[in-house]
Amino acid sequence: MTDSTSQTGAAAGRDYRSTVFLPNTAFPMRGDLPKKEPAMLARWEAMDLWGMLRAKSKGRTPFILHDGPPYANGNLHIGTALNKILKDVVNRARQMGGYDANYIPGWDCHGLPIEWKIEEQYRADKRDKDAVPVLDFRAECRAYAAHWMGVQEAEFRRLGVLGDWPNRYATMDLPSEAAISAEIGRFLMNGALYRGLRPVMWSPVEKTALAEAEIEYHDHTSHTVTVRFPIVECPVAGLTGAAILIWTTTPWTMPGNRAIALGEDIDYAVVRIDSVKEGSLAVPGERVLVALALLPQFCETAGVETHHLLHLHKGVELLGTVCAHPMRGRGYDHNVVVYSAEYVTTEAGTGFVHIAPGHGEEDFELGRLHGIEVPDTVGEDGTFNAWVPHFAGLHVYRAADAVCAALREAGGLMARGRLVHSYPHSWRSKAPLIFRATPQWFIRMDGPEAIRAKALQAIADTVFVPDQGRRRIGAMVASRPDWCISRQRAWGVPIAVFVERASGQVLRDQAVIDRITDAFRTEGADAWYSSPAARFLGEGRDPAAYEQVFDIVDVWFESGSTHAFVLEARGLPWPADLYLEGSDQHRGWFHSSLLESVGTRGVAPFKAVLTHGFVMDEQGRKMSKSLGNVVAPDEVTSTLGADILRLWVMSSDTSEDMRIGREILKQTAELYRRLRNTLRWLLGALEGFSAAEQVAEADMPELERWVLHRVAEIDAQIRGAVESHDWTGVYAAIHGFCSADLSAFYFDIRKDALYCDRPDSLRRRAARTVLDHLHRCLCTWLAPVLVFTAEEAWTARFGADDSVHLHDFPTIPAAWHDPALGAKWAEIRELRRLATTELEAMRGEKRIGSSNQAVVTLALPDAQAGLLSSGAWADILIVAGATVHTAVTASAHAAVAPGSKCERCWKVLPEVGQTPAHPMLCLRCADAVESGLVGAA
Ligand SMILES: [Zn+2]
């Protein structure tokens, strides 16, 4: 290959260096991004790039990527940065693909994590939260969220994320609070909202119900008990006096026991215990019922030495059996009936499941099926309520001994042990959770509103990228319980409803909802706390007759309502074209947005859902402070530049989990360097290019037409991704095009023509025309990702008044796409490899310095002999000459070229010396110099 830095052509007689068109550009080799990027951001700000884009896009088809709001409580982490960069790339590419992509970034501001931070400050300052007026507390939370919104906005903008920042949305904006409250009002009026006592995942530490997304699972040591339930009535004769055994890992739920569940097809053994080990609580002579499959395990657990199996019964035979509570006579005198439940298995325990409707979802459902009242046994702080016999005031975490003692005293305890198992904990406080029956507000899934059925239909109607997201969210929606939307906290939007004290009925009156919404719009949700109830109830209603509800709504409901106050309220197209978040949002934001929209509007708020994976370290581990493997986005931007982070995002397979770390960033920086060099070389080779030089595609050499064909192929790939949202592999294809097709092939071949041909030669003009197309295409194609570098490479040619971001992807003429030519050149490149292998060998043996000093003889089968002329082959192989003859199989032979080295182009040719005026030049070079078009010789 010709090396631009060493082609100095110092000759004995004349120096032809100045007659060679070496690439020349002020575009620097080094990116120097950390320094340049902020200046470029300031320039876009000053020129109002965003405003110019909106003005230019008027009348285009709108594209709405609705921003899932990040939570405003800390610096960006790499996952949030990844998400926002991906959104930015999708938006920019849509915009450049001919759409009007208006993007309104937003934030999620209410909720427990911020409240928790403020409470932490209180604890540090030894202040009592309960002594602070609620409005003051809410004001502190608001200030905290506002601070972090500002910090995050600056960080997002530094990453190059373009959007309508001045008009960003926030769930705590006063109109947003009004809109969220109005959405609750819609559920109130359509009947789906109800209050019910039911078990929810409850944190006794934070004193609130938690959403699924706020729960994490850790190992926890639980007390286990095996308990006798004496049979008092049984459809099977002779079993009265025997005991059904249950096993549980939550002894504290025994006061809440109201039933027993069994499996209808399970074989149950009636066993007489004959002898027991020392210390066993089993009694020789007693009869117990246990699943046959679990009998050996039971004997081991309970210390039973010998026993007789008396009878076997299918579960279905035992249905309707009535037992006494194991603490009967001690305040627990209700009957305990045996029911069947499909979820009972013989995997662990005794094959009978104790049912406490206040302490488990399945327990609750079984209780509801059989009309069992839900007992209210545990208070919000995790202690037993005052009316619970024996255990009032005791904390459930510390109740195991007391419950066991009471059971033992009553003769109910059969065995006791411990078990380490995975158990739900609060994501925030790390404290173990309990299922607790509480009065909560719910949105019904299966009422007349048919939210579940509509949601499943909406999922079927939505595009998921990748498609497995459809099954994930579909399975969740199909099996989820009613949506619990209440929280017993202070920082949020209240569920602003009234309950009539006399009837217990919730007040459904649109006029009341409207008064509340109007007040919130100007005063915010604080109005609920600062105004008398009469203001909302209106004339003719006695405030004393109504309970004002002060629960707040779950933040997932709030973010699930953003489509209403960001899109609808601003007159933007609805539903959104795209929601784009991490794959965990199938149970988070996608899920709550879907239910909220389906419940109020009957359809999903999105047409398509795109998900991405999570970011791991280089070894595939989660990032954590303790591992010291955290990669902070601002660290990358300040050392390498935002373009490097953006390039990392788009060179990763975002549908899977991604990895990042020092080594991977180094590789990304190297990838960047190669892309930058491609742009730099293009700029250098295009120096002084003018429209007058242009050559029509039809008049170009085949090599140029092949490059244009490849351009058409990449263009099609990009436009496909713009429409499908699937960007997997697109930027890898662009990079492959730059390195394999351009740098290592096309540029290499055409350097000779570009540097040494007369400027009016068709070959050189055609090449420069193609380079012009390439520069425009590459700058625009790369612009959504390398927002800074593409701009730099664009303005280097077209001036600082222009911006690549104001341009669309170039429209590629249909004629450029030529699959037959593509196939032909794939074959040519295959054959070329035969010759380059030979030339490499010669260079290795130091027989030649560059390939220009060699000639190649190609032996080609008939079908391939006519692919190219020998002159074209010489160009493609970058050799002094080529000859082609036919043979049975293809082969290449290289030899040292005869003749002398042209001092201008370095080709070794016999003709060098034929021009008397320029005895050191070949004919082409002599002509070029004589033409007077190539600079002073
Ligand atoms: Zn020459």
Side-chain angles (χ1 to χ4, degrees), residues 539-737:
E539 280 177 32
R541 281 199 186 94
D542 174 13
Y546 292 90
E547 172 203 349
Q548 185 178 357
V549 172
F550 284 100
D551 285 358
I552 60 165
V553 74
D554 174 20
V555 285
W556 291 106
F557 183 93
E558 294 196 6
S559 57
S561 308
T562 54
H563 67 93
F565 59 86
V566 179
L567 304 183
E568 274 187 354
R570 295 172 189 232
L572 294 169
W574 190 98
D577 293 284
L578 185 66
Y579 275 34
L580 192 174
E581 305 296 330
S583 53
D584 57 337
Q585 297 303 323
H586 287 303
R587 70 171 190 177
W589 190 56
F590 301 143
H591 197 121
S592 63
S593 297
L594 175 71
L595 295 187
E596 205 288 327
S597 178
V598 157
T600 52
R601 290 151 178 84
V603 292
F606 40 69
K607 294 179 193 162
V609 168
L610 174 64
T611 51
H612 56 77
F614 298 96
V615 185
M616 305 290 169
D617 77 358
E618 286 180 314
Q619 278 80 48
R621 297 173 305 181
K622 268 178 106 162
M623 288 188 189
S624 75
K625 275 189 188 139
S626 57
L627 283 174
N629 59 355
V630 175
V631 176
D634 66 338
E635 206 181 297
V636 182
T637 43
S638 63
T639 55
L640 296 169
D643 266 1
I644 303 294
L645 194 63
R646 299 176 66 100
L647 184 59
W648 165 75
V649 170
M650 295 315 286
S651 6
S652 307
D653 178 356
T654 56
S655 68
E656 302 280 336
D657 285 351
M658 288 144 281
R659 296 182 178 196
I660 194 169
R662 199 178 292 268
E663 265 315 301
I664 288 171
L665 283 168
K666 228 165 95 183
Q667 291 161 22
T668 310
E670 175 57 25
L671 177 64
Y672 172 82
R673 198 187 60 79
R674 290 199 297 266
L675 289 170
R676 186 177 178 88
N677 273 348
T678 303
L679 294 170
R680 180 167 185 268
W681 189 84
L682 279 170
L683 286 166
L686 277 167
E687 192 198 14
F689 178 77
S690 72
E693 263 182 76
Q694 276 174 351
V695 174
E697 194 242 348
D699 301 329
M700 288 181 180
E702 248 187 38
L703 178 60
E704 272 63 31
R705 284 193 281 130
W706 170 78
V707 174
L708 295 181
H709 164 68
R710 288 289 294 131
V711 166
E713 282 188 331
I714 307 266
D715 174 72
Q717 206 173 347
I718 290 171
R719 289 182 194 273
V722 164
E723 295 302 323
S724 71
H725 313 303
D726 186 358
W727 286 87
T728 319
V730 173
Y731 279 93
I734 294 174
H735 172 244
F737 175 63

Side-chain angles (χ1 to χ4, degrees), residues 902 904-907 921-922 924-925:
C902 168
R904 186 165 171 272
C905 71
W906 290 17
K907 277 190 187 170
L921 299 188
C922 70
R924 181 260 315 248
C925 289

Side-chain angles (χ1 to χ4, degrees), residues 198 361 365 443 445 452 476-477 479-484:
R198 65 178 297 166
E361 189 61 43
E365 292 299 335
I443 288 172
M445 293 295 293
R452 189 191 312 277
M476 288 173 191
V477 168
S479 64
R480 65 157 299 135
D482 286 353
W483 185 9
C484 176

